[in-house]
Structures are given as C-alpha cells and as structure tokens.
Amino acid sequence: MKSLWILLLILLFCLPVFAKTEFPDSLLIGNVKVFIHPSAKSILETEQKRLGSSKKFVESMKEKMRFYFPVMEPLLQSAGIPNEFKYLSVQESGLNPIAVSSSQAVGYWQFKSGTATDVGMKVNANVDERKHIIEATKGAANYFTRNNRVLNNWVGTLLSYRVGLGTAKKTSYVMDWVGKSDIQVDSSTDWYVLRFLAYQKFWADEFKKDDSLGIQPINQSKLICYDNSCGKNLYEIADELNVSYDDLKKYNPWILNDYVPSDKNYIIYHPSTVTFFDNSIQIPEILQPADFLLPPKKKLDNPQKE
C-alpha cells in the first residue's frame, strides 16, 4: 500500500500543469502592444502546452527564475530594457550558465565569443563572462540597446537577437514595425518571436497563479554575493567564508582557473543560508545606463554568430 501511495505521488508531481486556455488577443512587451492574429494562436497555444507538460520541469524552472531574476531585473530596468526580456534568457539557455549551443554560443544569454567581446564581456583563458549573471546581462542589455536605436521597436529588436541587425533590417514586417507602439504577429512571423511570446505569457502566468494562491517556495535558495574577491583564489575565499570550495566553483563557472583576476572586482555568487551571506548584498546596486552601455563600436551581428 505504501508503494502505491508513493507511485501516485510521483505521477501527480509529473502531471501536466497547463490547462488549455485560448491565447489572449494581445500582449504588452515594453511599450509595444502586440496583437495576436488568429493564425498565430494555435502555434502559441501548442508552445504553451509543451512548456506545461511536466509539473516537475515547471517547478524546477520557476526555482531558477526566483534564483536569478532578482539579479537580472534591476540591470535590465536601469538600461531601459523591457522587464519581459528576462524571459528570453529562459528561452535561450534555461538559465544554465554552462549551456553551449551547437554553434558554440555560451552562457545565460547564449553569446558567441566574438559578439560577447563586442558588447563588453571578457572571454579569455581566465574568465568567461558569458557565464556570469551580471556581466552577461550587461552584455545582453548592450546588444538590445544598440539594435533598438536602429529598429525603434522592442519586438523587432527581439528578433534581431536571433537573426542579427542586418537581416532584421531586410525583414519587411520588422521595418514596418519601426517606431510603432501597436503591431500584429501572425503565423508567418518568425518562430523565435512567437516562441518568446508563448514563454513570456506562460511563465508570467505561472508566477501570477502562485501569488494569487499564496504559494511560497519551500527552502528556496537565495543567490547572494561576495564582492571582496579581487585577486583571490577560490580556496582562500572558501576558507574566509567557511563555505564549500566545490559550491563556489559550481556557482561561479565563469572562473576558468581557481583564482579571480586582479584587474576587476568581480562578484562571487553562492546560494546559502549562512549568516554571513544573509547579511551581505543580495541584489547588485542598480547601475545607471552610462555605467555599462558602451558607445557604438562596429556593426553587431546576432549573438550566435561571430
């Protein structure tokens, strides 16, 4: 009987969480109202159904978002990037810092090394900032800001993240969107945009549902930071903070060797309930756009291309 109950609990946990509902007629992405043509709704609903097919997957991803979004949100906000764009990192990498695509794009926001360098990230033998949540988000903010100066539409800018600015400028409907606050997508719109709309709506609804039901995560880890790392090795930091070296290494894969370079005071991350960490800064100070938005250097391609 006990085994039967365990089996039932496992099955319940793995059941789909998505109840089929009709996709809304419009969504707001930043200052752009996106009207959904009926021909696109079945595509969006299918994508949402796929996302909600496993409760275990949904809960695991929400835990990651609760972990990383408090760091990403103030950086996007200070750069003037729509808050909804945080869900693009979920679409790109599943918030996995060591994710590597078939085209060798790496990290939270899936940049190839050349484009990462163009938007201000360091990628060398010692560090790979594509795997650092703050540095990678700054780089993504740079990319979005530069392209939006040209396209003047956040949904067009979103598409340029996949196809590059040059291709986006050759896409007729993207150029029709320039400067507009009301646009329409349909079944002919690039799959990347439609998938993003499905992701944004699905995950935002999941958090709204939790809030409305008063659901609080159990034993939710907090991503906390330690900013006195300049020139130190991870063994020193682990001893200083009385935490596990293995955990420091795991949650800071951007450090390619065992030491933090002395040319920059990087923030080290660790999920912990240790008192020292609880008393330290949990969210980076909100930066002003001028602090991390680079002046235009050269024409940028999409992050997945050199």
Side-chain angles (χ1 to χ4, degrees):
M1 180 63 71
K2 183 177 180 181
S3 298
L4 179 60
W5 275 109
I6 292 173
L7 178 60
L8 288 172
L9 287 172
I10 292 172
L11 289 173
L12 180 63
F13 190 68
C14 295
L15 284 175
V17 296
F18 178 69
K20 181 174 173 57
T21 56
E22 185 176 352
F23 206 85
D25 293 331
S26 65
L27 290 176
L28 195 63
I29 305 298
N31 64 345
V32 180
K33 189 171 186 178
V34 183
F35 290 93
I36 313 298
H37 189 273
S39 65
K41 285 194 174 185
S42 62
I43 299 171
L44 295 165
E45 289 163 3
T46 298
E47 190 68 34
Q48 286 198 308
K49 183 177 180 180
R50 182 185 67 82
L51 285 171
S53 61
S54 166
K55 183 174 181 179
K56 183 177 181 180
F57 166 76
V58 169
E59 294 305 317
S60 173
M61 287 307 305
K62 285 195 294 186
E63 183 178 8
K64 282 187 176 183
M65 290 181 231
R66 292 188 187 101
F67 198 58
Y68 288 115
F69 279 179
V71 176
M72 297 170 64
E73 288 167 345
L75 295 172
L76 295 175
Q77 180 184 24
S78 63
I81 309 299
N83 184 57
E84 293 86 0
F85 272 43
K86 65 190 179 187
Y87 295 107
L88 187 61
S89 63
V90 181
Q91 177 176 329
E92 284 286 339
S93 69
L95 290 174
N96 179 2
I98 60 173
V100 181
S101 74
S102 59
S103 61
Q104 299 304 300
V106 171
Y108 295 102
W109 291 93
Q110 291 289 282
F111 279 94
K112 291 195 76 174
S113 58
T115 311
T117 301
D118 287 339
V119 294
M121 283 183 268
K122 290 185 179 181
V123 180
N124 56 41
N126 298 317
V127 295
D128 187 341
E129 293 185 351
R130 296 173 294 179
K131 301 176 183 179
H132 189 291
I133 187 64
I134 285 183
E135 304 305 329
T137 302
K138 289 178 183 178
N142 254 326
Y143 191 93
F144 297 139
T145 299
R146 288 184 180 183
N147 284 10
N148 199 56
R149 287 173 184 160
V150 177
L151 299 174
N152 194 20
N153 182 281
W154 287 116
V155 182
T157 295
L158 175 81
L159 178 57
S160 75
Y161 199 74
R162 183 181 86 81
V163 302
L165 181 58
T167 300
K169 288 167 64 177
K170 296 175 184 177
T171 304
S172 59
Y173 58 80
V174 172
M175 298 315 293
D176 287 341
W177 293 345
V178 171
K180 292 183 179 177
S181 57
D182 291 348
I183 66 170
Q184 184 180 70
V185 298
D186 58 28
S187 60
S188 68
T189 303
D190 192 274
W191 65 267
Y192 189 80
V193 172
L194 297 180
R195 176 167 291 179
F196 171 78
L197 296 176
Y199 266 64
Q200 189 275 326
K201 182 70 168 60
F202 178 84
W203 293 116
D205 282 353
E206 278 295 308
F207 285 113
K208 286 179 183 177
K209 181 174 66 176
D210 286 356
D211 290 343
S212 67
L213 296 175
I215 296 175
Q216 297 294 326
I218 300 173
N219 298 324
Q220 172 69 41
S221 296
K222 292 181 292 185
L223 187 64
I224 41 66
C225 62
Y226 167 75
D227 60 0
N228 188 27
S229 63
C230 187
K232 295 181 179 179
N233 67 53
L234 290 184
Y235 290 100
E236 286 182 81
I237 296 171
D239 288 344
E240 180 182 343
L241 304 179
N242 193 28
V243 296
S244 163
Y245 162 84
D246 290 336
D247 277 350
L248 283 180
K249 190 74 172 177
K250 176 182 177 182
Y251 287 96
N252 295 276
W254 55 274
I255 303 174
L256 303 184
N257 296 307
D258 278 335
Y259 69 91
V260 181
S262 58
D263 62 343
K264 187 172 181 177
N265 195 27
Y266 286 100
I267 289 176
I268 295 280
Y269 287 107
H270 191 282
S272 178
T273 56
V274 177
T275 302
F276 179 92
F277 279 115
D278 282 344
N279 291 335
S280 63
I281 302 170
Q282 293 186 24
I283 299 177
E285 180 182 354
I286 295 179
L287 304 176
Q288 296 303 311
D291 291 330
F292 63 88
L293 294 177
L294 304 176
K297 287 169 53 179
K298 64 180 182 179
K299 181 179 178 181
L300 291 177
D301 206 338
N302 63 310
Q304 287 77 32
K305 294 181 181 178
E306 295 289 4

